[in-house]
Amino acid sequence: MAGLLALLGGAVGIGGARSARAGAGPEADVAYHGRVALAHGRLRILLVPENEGPSALANATVRLRLSAELADRQELAEGCARAGLREVVCETGELSLHGRGRHIGLALALKERAPEVVVRVDTWWNGGATDRNHSNNEHVVLALDTGDTYAF
């Protein structure tokens, strides 16, 4: 959690994962898979980070941006923090080569009930690693307020 708090304090800027230059650090292929469901103003997200290599990562930070504002009070999973009115960031934990990070489960309350919420998932920070494949770590998911689960 200390690493995440340092990031929020400005030690590394937003988009650090994108600004990594080839050869600036290790190369890794971070991917996120999960599910999103919206029901009665509560957004549930289950996310599993993975690393297809070729190098392991000590940690990374996934960012979840919503199209609706979050309620003022949230009970977030360990290693997660609010990063704005509509954003949450979470540490992935160690991402070994061809391994998974910790499962991240969130139950987020919205400020106001919405008929739909768009959830954008991406890497906020990855320790300066180069990730040439953004197609598996950048997702946009539309969740309707039906309780149905949407996979990514």
Side-chain angles (χ1 to χ4, degrees):
M1 183 67 178
L4 181 59
L5 293 177
L7 288 175
L8 291 174
V12 175
I14 293 174
R18 285 188 172 278
S19 63
R21 290 173 281 126
E27 183 173 346
D29 183 12
V30 176
Y32 304 112
H33 305 284
R35 300 185 304 263
V36 174
L38 176 64
H40 310 291
R42 300 236 3 128
L43 184 67
R44 295 190 173 276
I45 301 171
L46 175 63
L47 182 127
V48 180
E50 298 180 1
N51 177 17
E52 292 302 318
S55 299
L57 293 176
N59 201 358
T61 306
V62 61
R63 175 173 56 176
L64 305 162
R65 293 179 290 159
L66 313 178
S67 62
E69 282 190 34
L70 292 164
D72 293 336
R73 294 186 155 246
Q74 299 289 328
E75 290 188 36
L76 298 175
E78 184 177 337
C80 296
R82 275 197 68 171
L85 295 174
R86 299 174 181 206
E87 288 186 40
V88 173
V89 293
C90 298
E91 291 181 313
T92 64
E94 182 180 351
L95 293 171
S96 61
L97 178 61
H98 302 293
R100 292 183 173 165
R102 65 183 187 85
H103 289 68
I104 300 167
L106 297 167
L108 303 172
L110 300 180
K111 190 166 198 153
E112 296 178 7
R113 189 170 174 178
E116 64 185 35
V117 174
V118 175
V119 179
R120 296 179 188 281
V121 179
D122 64 6
T123 300
W124 192 58
W125 177 82
N126 67 6
T130 300
D131 188 338
R132 299 177 198 281
N133 180 12
H134 293 285
S135 66
N136 59 5
N137 69 345
E138 294 180 356
H139 304 282
V140 179
V141 183
L142 173 64
L144 304 177
D145 188 12
T146 59
D148 292 331
T149 301
Y150 301 90
F152 60 92

